[in-house]
Amino acid sequence: MNVAEWILVSILSVTLFVFLVVGIVLIIKLINLCKELDDVAIEGKDVVKNANGIVSNVKGMTSIGGTVEMFVDKYINPKLKEKMKEKGEKNDGKK
């Protein structure tokens, strides 16, 4: 082979080697980033669960929240259940 050909082959091989090393490093970094994102998502879920618990506790402590919850449980839910039973009985007769 000619000297020019050796120079071109060596330059190309060094360039390919550099890109291979850079590619491997980037893949490793992306894998670590994905693991960290999973951890962040899990932490976010925990924060949301805790916030929902706090909101429900505060809702129960406020006078309006407790009153509305009691009103719904004692008066509205039983009437809705009765209506659902009546609709179920009417639909059974039509079939």
Side-chain angles (χ1 to χ4, degrees), residues 33-90:
L33 180 66
C34 289
K35 289 179 183 177
E36 288 181 23
L37 289 175
D38 287 341
D39 293 341
V40 168
I42 291 170
E43 291 288 327
K45 287 179 184 178
D46 290 341
V47 168
V48 168
K49 286 180 183 177
N50 289 338
N52 285 336
I54 291 170
V55 167
S56 65
N57 287 341
V58 169
K59 183 180 77 172
M61 287 183 206
T62 60
S63 61
I64 294 173
T67 305
V68 169
E69 188 175 359
M70 181 195 67
F71 181 75
V72 168
D73 287 340
K74 288 190 177 183
Y75 297 107
I76 295 178
N77 282 341
K79 290 184 180 183
L80 287 175
K81 288 179 184 177
E82 289 175 10
K83 294 286 183 181
M84 293 300 289
K85 286 181 184 178
E86 289 176 6
K87 283 185 180 181
E89 291 172 2
K90 287 180 183 178

